[in-house]
Structure formats: structure tokens, C-alpha cells
Amino acid sequence: MVDWQANALLVDSVRVTIVTNMQNKQLPNVHLRKEWDLRVRTWFNQPGRKLRRRNSRIAKAAKIAPRPIELLRPAVRCPTVKYNCKVRAGRGFTLEELKAAGISAKYAATVGIAVDYRRRNRSEESLALNTQRLKEYLSKLIVLPRNAKKRTAED
């Protein structure tokens, strides 16, 4: 007899058990009914969290009232041939775009303009578009003095 045949004969009952479990049959039904919520991640708090997030966004907007909630971001094209027809909001304006609009990077960060030091302008069209966005934002921007006593009647 060959070794594997001898082993098969010695552990014949074990081998039969393993083979029956390895066949493509239905798994035995496990009756885990007690305390099922401890074994499962439930999302019953999802609607409440949604409401809490919404209320906190509204409260934040009211707290910083005249200021915008988010930073001004550039219009950029998505990468790859499939999506490059789509224009989306980018991470921040390039230093070249800020320079064309006459803004320093430090000043831009203080008046709500996002700056991305790594991004580069690869086309004149995007440079002109984002420079126009910056100039339009600056024309509408009203900078109030930090000290309330220094404010004039027009502020």
C-alpha cells in the first residue's frame, strides 16, 4: 500500500467528514438570535446625524454672517480623456494666477481664497478664466477693519 492510501484507511471517518463539508451544499443554519444588535453595526442614528450636521452648518453660516462659508476655489478640468470635458472646483489657485490678479499668496489666505503651491497652469485659457474669477471676487469683496472703533459710516 502507498502512504496516502494507508492514511486514508486510518482516518477514514475523519476523511468522510471533511469531504462532506467541502461539497457544494448549504451551510448549516446558525441560530444567533440573542443580542444580534451587538454583532451588527446598525445605522439607526443616521437621520439624527444628518439633522445635526445640517443644523450645525446653518449655525456656522449665521455665526460668520457676512463672510462666505467656504473658500474661493479655481475652476479646473478633470484628468483623463473620459472626464476632461468636465470642469470642477480645484484645490486652490496657482501663484501665477494670483500674481496676474495682483494678489499675494499670504493676503489671499486671509480673505478666503484657497492657494495651491503645487498646481501649475498648463494652458492660457485656464489661467485667464481663474484670473477673471479672482478679479470678480475682489470687486465684490468688502474688507472690514478688525477693530470696530476704526469702522467708518460707509462700513
Side-chain angles (χ1 to χ4, degrees), residues 21 25-31:
N21 283 346
K25 293 182 179 177
Q26 184 179 1
L27 291 170
N29 196 9
V30 182
H31 301 283

Side-chain angles (χ1 to χ4, degrees), residues 27-113:
L27 291 170
N29 196 9
V30 182
H31 301 283
L32 295 173
R33 301 285 187 271
K34 290 182 178 178
E35 299 178 354
W36 63 273
D37 55 332
L38 298 179
R39 299 182 188 91
V40 175
R41 177 71 176 95
T42 59
W43 288 82
F44 299 137
N45 59 354
Q46 188 179 30
R49 281 189 176 181
K50 180 181 178 180
L51 191 66
R52 187 195 311 155
R53 283 194 302 268
R54 184 171 186 269
N55 289 337
S56 65
R57 278 196 303 269
I58 292 169
K60 181 183 177 182
K63 185 178 177 183
I64 61 170
R67 291 184 284 168
I69 299 168
E70 296 176 351
L71 298 174
L72 179 71
R73 300 200 181 269
V76 298
R77 291 204 173 268
C78 297
T80 72
V81 176
K82 183 177 180 181
Y83 296 107
N84 67 2
C85 57
K86 186 178 183 340
V87 178
R88 63 170 175 85
R91 179 182 168 86
F93 291 92
T94 62
L95 298 175
E96 192 178 356
E97 290 164 351
L98 293 169
K99 189 175 182 181
I103 312 167
S104 69
K106 273 190 174 179
Y107 179 71
T110 63
V111 292
I113 299 171

